[in-house]
Amino acid sequence: AEHHKEAIQTAIEFLRNYTDNHEMLNLIDILETANISVNNQNESRKIIGLDLNEDYTGNAHKTKLANHIRQRDVLKIDYQSFKALEPSQQIFHPQYLKCYNNRWFLIGCNSEYPDNITVLPLDRIKSFKKVSKPAYKEMDEDWGEYFMDMVGVSADGENGPQEVVLRFYNNRGLYVATKPLHNSQKKLDEIAPGIHEVRLKVIVNRELKSQILHFGKDIEVISPKTLVDLVKAEHEEAALR
């Protein structure tokens, strides 16, 4: 057992030394933390806890879907969004699995819109099976690069990355300095006591907006104006309820 533990740690250290890919580094951190946690399970004094969503409905799909992606299989998927009363079927060409905020997503395209990227949360997939036709369509995307420019998984339109300037009050910016909103986040600037600004180069999408709303009154969007207006509209609508 000790030999296996040492081999795992050696592999983690090797991977860390030979990659600068953002997603791979995140995966290495997860592996290293999981390795510590597993080693700690048989000890009476627990020293680490993992915030894993073991009850997540989509967990059962991950391994099977990963194998289908690897084998370039076309799938018939029964999918039901939160708004739909009944599941609907689609022929899907799976390309990539992505985890965000303890929720897993299947990325690919369906046969009806083969040139569009479609994102399916795994917890909304009711069932799936391999089909022989049509032929598998491989999308010409570097998925690591594709998701590098956004928070979460929603491209939300045709706009590319924009410079986003956020101002934090009551020293909330210090929290953002230790836990960046996005990998493009620039150094925290203190513009007055307890008031800080950060700059991001990121696609404006629903996940970014959600992150901003999380800070409530302690954040102000300086630019771009489109994001200023989106956040303002959310606050105004909430105030009317």
Side-chain angles (χ1 to χ4, degrees):
E2 284 300 321
H3 173 73
H4 290 158
K5 292 176 186 177
E6 290 177 8
I8 292 171
Q9 191 59 44
T10 299
I12 290 171
E13 290 172 2
F14 176 83
L15 288 170
R16 190 181 293 280
N17 289 331
Y18 286 93
T19 184
D20 58 0
N21 179 274
H22 178 73
E23 285 204 341
M24 182 60 74
L25 290 172
N26 284 340
L27 176 59
I28 291 168
D29 283 336
I30 293 168
L31 289 172
E32 196 163 53
T33 308
N35 192 34
I36 297 170
S37 183
V38 168
N39 293 342
N40 183 230
Q41 289 307 305
N42 296 323
E43 298 179 18
S44 58
R45 180 171 173 257
K46 306 302 181 189
I47 62 170
I48 190 168
L50 289 177
D51 185 16
L52 298 176
N53 187 356
E54 295 179 358
D55 296 326
Y56 177 61
T57 309
N59 279 339
H61 296 330
K62 285 185 297 189
T63 302
K64 291 180 180 178
L65 286 172
N67 286 333
H68 283 305
I69 294 171
R70 190 177 295 112
Q71 295 162 12
R72 292 174 171 79
D73 293 331
V74 180
L75 303 176
K76 180 183 286 186
I77 294 179
D78 287 319
Y79 177 81
Q80 185 175 3
S81 71
F82 284 120
K83 296 179 180 179
L85 298 177
E86 298 290 338
S88 60
Q89 280 192 344
Q90 56 181 288
I91 302 301
F92 200 81
H93 304 252
Q95 314 283 323
Y96 192 71
L97 282 168
K98 171 78 173 172
C99 183
Y100 173 69
N101 199 23
N102 278 333
R103 196 182 189 203
W104 283 88
F105 299 84
L106 178 64
I107 319 299
C109 64
N110 63 49
S111 289
E112 191 173 354
Y113 305 103
D115 295 324
N116 293 348
I117 294 171
T118 300
V119 179
L120 303 180
L122 265 59
D123 53 274
R124 306 316 304 158
I125 295 175
K126 299 303 180 182
S127 63
F128 57 89
K129 65 179 181 180
K130 176 183 174 180
V131 293
S132 57
K133 293 180 180 180
Y136 181 80
K137 173 185 170 66
E138 182 129 24
M139 302 183 77
D140 187 22
E141 289 285 349
D142 180 327
W143 296 107
E145 289 292 326
Y146 177 79
F147 288 108
M148 188 69 74
D149 290 333
M150 69 182 76
V151 175
V153 297
S154 303
D156 283 5
E158 301 301 320
N159 293 326
Q162 302 178 62
E163 184 177 65
V164 174
V165 181
L166 304 174
R167 183 173 297 168
F168 293 89
Y169 297 86
N170 300 319
N171 278 319
R172 291 297 293 279
L174 300 178
Y175 171 85
V176 175
T178 60
K179 188 179 180 183
L181 297 176
H182 185 254
N183 56 64
S184 67
Q185 183 173 310
K186 303 299 183 184
K187 184 175 72 71
L188 193 72
D189 291 323
E190 186 170 24
I191 60 174
I195 303 175
H196 302 83
E197 278 189 3
V198 296
R199 295 175 182 268
L200 318 172
K201 190 69 176 293
V202 65
I203 291 171
V204 173
N205 64 3
R206 70 189 75 167
E207 288 93 337
L208 176 65
K209 185 176 69 175
S210 177
Q211 290 269 23
I212 290 169
L213 292 171
H214 168 77
F215 288 93
K217 63 182 177 57
D218 291 332
I219 191 171
E220 178 185 2
V221 181
I222 304 302
S223 65
K225 187 177 185 305
T226 52
L227 184 56
V228 173
D229 293 341
L230 282 172
V231 173
K232 181 180 178 182
E234 288 280 347
H235 283 299
E236 288 177 346
E237 186 174 343
L240 291 174
R241 288 181 178 154

